[in-house]
Amino acid sequence: MKQSTKIVKYFLVLALLITLAVTPTNLKVNAVPLETNTVIDDFENYTSDDELRTAYKLWSSSEGSGVDWSLSQKHAHDGANSMRIVPIKPLDDWVSLAYNFPARDWTDSAGISFWIHNDADEPLAFNLDVKSESKTYGQEGTFKASLKEEGDASWEEHTFSSMLSVPGNFTGLVRISWDQFTQKAWQCLQSCENELNLGLVSGFELGYSPQANSKNEIYIDSIGLWGTSEGGAGGILAPVWATPSNTFNLNYTPAPIDNPLKGFLPFSESASWRTDYNQIPYSLEYFYIPLKYIMTNFNEYDWSKLEAKIDDIASRGNQAIFRVYLDYPNKPTGIPSFLLDLGLETRDYSYYSNGGSNGTSMAPDYNDENLITALSHFIEALGDKYDGDPRIGFIQAGLIGFWGEWHTYPQNGTTSLGSWDGELAEHENGRATDWMPSLANQEAIMQKFNDSFDETKILARYPSEFNRDLSIGYHDDSFAFQTLPSSLGGEDWHFVGRLEENQVMNKWKKEPIGGEMRPEIQMDMWDNDPPQYLGDPIEGAQGEDYYKSVELTHVSWLKIQNVFQIPLEEDALERAREGSRRLGYEYFVPNAYMNVANGHLQAAMEIQNTGVAPFYYDWKVEIAARDENGKIEEWTTDWDISYILPKEDGTEENNGVLMEWSGDISQLSEGSYDILVNVVNPLSNMNSNAKTFRFANEEQEENGWLNIGQIEINVSR
């Protein structure tokens, strides 16, 4: 949403709308203990326009007709009514609507908010003033306010000059914190030094210029207070209509280990571990597949083998992660035969147990023009067929390098000549030659992935300058062994060091991080608390602190095959289970709110992320009412729960987000109802065994529904 700013004479900044329901990511409303209702005015208590006009007094600058203000049901936020404001000719230079009351104590709040609908294509300039001790306080000069457009899950902070500027056709919430209020300059001969006394607030004014905004029809609703006197610490998010009687406090319990799209995962190929051991629940499975199984010619594909693997995983209710490769050491080549027939050059090598009687793989010339063209075509076709497929959790970019892992070490152009699992296959001037594609070709391939996938998340092996700004995540395939940077005892070339070098330490907030735990450390590390491999050095090094690696990478999932096929002792198993559970997101609902009136339900709930990463997909969220006989009536919300971030490092503040919904429930009969929320795994439309998304709440039911509270419907509604 673009911001438009209008500069109006500062003395006209008389005032405006106010407040709205609580909900930033950091600022919270303590709805339950407040002595006064968080709602200042929701326009539901007026029975006529005359009553409204008695409450709101008009002031105009030039004794013109001012504005008409009346109750309206055309647009509203939290009930049936809003206040409609329209200009009347001749147009005034400035008007304000003043709402006065006996002095109130607003010290236990962080600011004021309101809902507004600007029914015009043009921006609307206005301000809100608050009265205290016969003085008027509002916004002077440059100030900040936050807007949340209807349908958005989060607030956007904007900087304004003298006046708020509400975009054309905007519908949503506005909030202003108290530290943005200063005494109005027109009251002071020189400078104003009086601070707003929140203990003696006696009213507010909504003001704007009808001349400057002659086409703007305005609707105001849900004026209220938000935040707590502690600045939000320990407070809760709440809608402006929240009261103690319609607030439900929910309870925390750790979320299940096998929540969708997170945790430890095994390889899907072997069936024995699925039946012999069931040590750790899981929701993801991994596999490799050679390109030759899929691509038979330029723009010709046989998807049957890939389909079979994905379907097999989905049959167990899990989602797939996979990587397509050209070269996998000690396995038959993955290069399509039509490329070899066209003269694609290849190189044999002996490292990684490749060579000798079992040596079957070979590295292609990654700069071959036909190969680059084929890869481009394949990536585009893969996106066309599988982008958004609910059977797939994530796709690793693959294709390039040994194992499709985007390296050909030691053939990297820098490794010194010598013995490395046998002699180097190629060398020049005392250095191993470089088998990787040119940087231009690497960039083109990664850009093609970025362009071909809009929904399904793609992960690259290494952070780099050419993928830094793409909508692509990363996977660390030597997790907890070559993860930490030099500042924490590792190396600059380790995974976090690369994140730091490429300035993508915060990319996890939008794109996922995954990976694989170093195979040699997968079992022994769980013998230690905290988990860390401390056995015989591997390549001269021991393992790294597992939870420090998790903390820095914000990893969502890890391949760790050994714990699925080798028994762990009781204490080690418990550490491994907890290590899996702690990956990725964990969504907790501490509070929910419900209000029923005139066959209409308002429902809201706060979501906190107590994990280390967000949930990266916009899955459908349903809300339902369940009667005493277990019959459920469902509705679909417009909620987007993706990208709810965990608390900032070093703070106690959870970045909670408030989700609100309202709907017609007049079809429900009289009685008591549980209100339920369900995040729908899209795989459930194909397989009833699909893992259910579950919140970290005691009220979470096994069937996927979270019970957030109860309502009572009677015939008098």
Side-chain angles (χ1 to χ4, degrees):
M1 178 180 60
K2 295 182 179 179
Q3 168 191 331
S4 176
T5 301
K6 282 197 174 183
I7 300 177
V8 180
K9 296 179 181 179
Y10 71 89
F11 58 85
L12 293 181
V13 182
L14 281 178
L16 184 104
L17 333 186
I18 1 215
T19 147
L20 135 210
V22 160
T23 142
T25 52
N26 291 329
L27 299 173
K28 303 183 176 182
V29 166
N30 198 347
V32 177
L34 276 180
E35 294 182 3
T36 58
N37 198 319
T38 55
V39 176
I40 300 172
D41 199 349
D42 60 7
F43 305 97
E44 299 303 310
N45 295 323
Y46 303 105
T47 60
S48 66
D49 291 342
D50 287 341
E51 284 191 11
L52 178 69
R53 289 166 182 148
T54 299
Y56 286 80
K57 301 297 184 180
L58 174 67
W59 178 90
S60 64
S61 62
S62 57
E63 299 182 356
S65 300
V67 295
D68 177 66
W69 67 111
S70 60
L71 295 173
S72 176
Q73 293 79 44
K74 182 178 180 181
H75 301 285
H77 176 244
D78 61 356
N81 296 331
S82 66
M83 179 168 66
R84 175 177 176 263
I85 306 171
V86 293
I88 297 177
K89 294 182 179 179
L91 299 174
D92 279 302
D93 183 55
W94 186 264
V95 298
S96 66
L97 292 172
Y99 183 83
N100 301 312
F101 42 75
R104 298 179 183 177
D105 185 356
W106 286 359
T107 55
D108 193 14
S109 63
I112 192 166
S113 67
F114 62 91
W115 177 91
I116 183 170
H117 172 73
N118 178 16
D119 200 21
D121 294 334
E122 298 181 0
L124 167 68
F126 65 83
N127 264 73
L128 163 68
D129 292 343
V130 171
K131 297 179 181 179
S132 176
E133 299 182 294
S134 301
K135 301 180 181 68
T136 303
Y137 298 81
Q139 292 72 57
E140 294 282 311
T142 301
F143 68 96
K144 294 180 179 180
S146 295
L147 281 68
K148 187 174 80 165
E149 194 160 11
E150 197 166 272
D152 288 352
S154 59
W155 293 86
E156 291 186 9
E157 185 178 88
H158 298 270
T159 300
F160 299 95
S161 180
S162 297
M163 299 282 285
L164 283 166
S165 181
V166 177
N169 298 311
F170 176 86
T171 301
L173 300 167
V174 179
R175 70 181 186 199
I176 313 170
S177 61
W178 295 131
D179 60 8
Q180 301 300 304
F181 284 77
T182 57
Q183 189 175 358
K184 305 298 289 188
W186 55 265
Q187 300 175 100
C188 312
L189 294 177
Q190 295 181 349
S191 61
C192 295
E193 298 180 356
N194 294 311
E195 294 184 0
L196 172 60
N197 183 352
L198 291 171
L200 294 172
V201 177
S202 57
F204 60 83
E205 294 181 350
L206 312 177
Y208 81 114
S209 171
Q211 288 183 3
N213 301 274
S214 60
K215 297 180 179 180
N216 298 90
E217 188 171 295
I218 308 166
Y219 296 82
I220 304 295
D221 200 359
S222 303
I223 300 170
L225 302 175
W226 61 273
T228 65
S229 57
E230 292 83 11
I236 59 174
L237 296 176
V240 293
W241 45 263
T243 66
S245 62
N246 65 20
T247 297
F248 296 84
N249 299 313
L250 281 65
N251 301 291
Y252 173 84
T253 191
I257 296 172
D258 59 344
N259 248 353
L261 303 181
K262 59 167 288 182
F264 292 167
L265 62 141
F267 287 87
S268 64
E269 284 87 348
S270 173
S272 61
W273 53 265
R274 295 194 211 112
T275 55
D276 294 347
Y277 302 107
N278 189 23
Q279 295 187 116
I280 298 179
Y282 59 96
S283 64
L284 292 162
E285 297 181 38
Y286 184 90
F287 65 88
Y288 292 94
I289 186 170
L291 181 61
K292 70 178 182 181
Y293 280 7
I294 304 171
M295 192 171 193
T296 58
N297 209 331
F298 291 110
N299 293 317
E300 294 181 10
Y301 308 94
D302 177 0
W303 302 104
S304 59
K305 290 184 173 63
L306 179 56
E307 278 288 303
K309 286 179 173 291
I310 296 172
D311 275 341
D312 178 53
I313 292 171
S315 72
R316 291 183 285 277
N318 297 323
Q319 266 118 349
I321 305 175
F322 65 89
R323 184 193 307 174
V324 182
Y325 68 85
L326 289 167
D327 181 17
Y328 193 117
N330 206 28
K331 282 190 177 183
T333 183
I335 302 171
S337 58
F338 78 91
L339 289 171
L340 297 173
D341 293 342
L342 289 171
L344 174 64
E345 294 183 0
T346 61
R347 304 174 174 93
D348 296 326
Y349 57 95
S350 58
Y351 353 107
Y352 306 119
S353 301
N354 204 62
S357 59
N358 295 322
T360 52
S361 186
M362 51 193 179
D365 174 7
Y366 287 107
N367 290 311
D368 180 269
E369 185 175 344
N370 286 326
L371 175 59
I372 294 299
T373 299
L375 294 182
S376 178
H377 290 177
F378 168 71
I379 295 166
E380 184 175 358
L382 188 70
D384 289 342
K385 185 169 182 62
Y386 289 109
D387 188 27
D389 192 308
R391 298 170 298 171
I392 298 171
F394 307 93
I395 298 175
Q396 293 180 333
L399 297 174
I400 302 301
F402 302 150
W403 300 282
E405 207 166 286
W406 285 68
H407 75 80
T408 50
Y409 182 82
Q411 301 286 179
N412 57 8
T414 60
T415 299
S416 300
L417 203 60
S419 177
W420 195 93
D421 195 16
E423 293 183 1
L424 295 177
E426 286 188 3
H427 56 87
E428 185 178 346
N429 299 325
R431 300 282 178 180
T433 54
D434 188 359
W435 289 0
M436 284 291 286
S438 67
L439 289 177
N441 282 334
Q442 292 182 51
E443 182 176 2
I445 291 168
M446 201 57 69
Q447 184 67 52
K448 196 67 176 179
F449 271 110
N450 186 79
D451 296 342
S452 300
F453 287 86
D454 295 322
E455 297 182 46
T456 301
K457 293 296 183 180
I458 305 298
L459 287 79
R461 173 63 179 95
Y462 298 110
S464 69
E465 184 176 354
F466 59 76
N467 63 37
R468 176 174 57 203
D469 298 322
L470 302 181
S471 298
I472 288 176
Y474 302 114
H475 56 99
D476 176 4
D477 282 8
S478 190
F479 193 84
F481 186 76
Q482 292 173 340
T483 297
L484 301 182
S486 58
S487 60
L488 293 171
E491 301 288 345
D492 289 339
W493 55 268
H494 285 185
F495 185 73
V496 173
R498 292 175 186 261
L499 292 174
E500 292 175 337
E501 178 185 0
N502 290 281
Q503 301 175 341
V504 288
M505 283 295 291
N506 288 322
K507 200 174 188 183
W508 62 271
K509 294 180 179 181
K510 293 185 177 180
E511 305 299 335
I513 305 292
E516 181 178 18
M517 190 169 291
R518 178 87 175 206
E520 300 97 315
I521 72 173
Q522 289 181 5
M523 296 299 294
D524 293 347
M525 71 179 307
W526 307 111
D527 292 332
N528 303 302
D529 189 11
Q532 181 175 358
Y533 175 77
L534 297 174
D536 293 336
I538 302 168
E539 299 176 4
Q542 290 183 322
E544 300 167 335
D545 185 295
Y546 172 75
Y547 284 116
K548 177 57 69 174
S549 299
V550 170
E551 174 190 343
L552 290 179
T553 60
H554 299 269
V555 64
S556 287
W557 53 265
L558 289 170
K559 292 179 288 179
I560 178 169
Q561 177 65 29
N562 287 343
V563 300
F564 290 96
Q565 63 185 37
I566 302 173
L568 283 166
E569 297 296 328
E570 183 176 353
D571 289 346
L573 177 58
E574 184 57 34
R575 292 189 193 103
R577 284 173 172 259
E578 180 63 13
S580 179
R581 190 187 68 79
R582 295 269 289 274
L583 298 184
Y585 68 93
E586 183 185 65
Y587 284 5
F588 166 53
V589 177
N591 303 284
Y593 313 88
M594 264 144 304
N595 186 47
V596 178
N598 302 319
H600 192 84
L601 170 65
Q602 292 172 283
M605 69 181 195
E606 178 191 358
I607 302 178
Q608 295 177 359
N609 187 347
T610 50
V612 298
F615 183 77
Y616 293 98
Y617 287 101
D618 181 13
W619 284 3
K620 180 175 70 174
V621 182
E622 296 176 334
I623 194 166
R626 181 175 60 199
D627 67 17
E628 295 168 301
N629 297 318
K631 181 181 177 181
I632 294 179
E633 184 80 22
E634 301 175 16
W635 300 270
T636 298
T637 73
D638 60 357
W639 295 352
D640 180 359
I641 66 163
S642 62
Y643 306 107
I644 298 177
L645 298 177
K647 67 181 182 181
E648 296 292 333
D649 294 341
T651 73
E652 295 300 319
E653 183 74 13
N654 272 299
N655 288 341
V657 171
L658 187 78
M659 299 291 181
E660 297 186 68
W661 177 87
S662 63
D664 182 2
I665 60 169
S666 58
Q667 73 271 35
L668 299 181
S669 58
E670 184 175 272
S672 298
Y673 291 84
D674 292 329
I675 302 301
L676 312 172
V677 170
N678 178 37
V679 179
V680 181
N681 185 339
L683 183 61
S684 63
N685 296 323
M686 305 174 69
N687 190 310
S688 60
N689 296 325
K691 296 295 192 301
T692 56
F693 182 107
R694 287 150 292 177
F695 290 90
N697 283 87
E698 292 181 5
E699 296 80 7
Q700 176 69 58
E701 300 176 2
E702 287 298 319
N703 58 13
W705 290 108
L706 172 67
N707 191 331
I708 63 172
Q710 294 75 41
I711 62 171
E712 189 76 26
I713 297 178
N714 54 59
V715 292
S716 63
R717 74 172 188 263

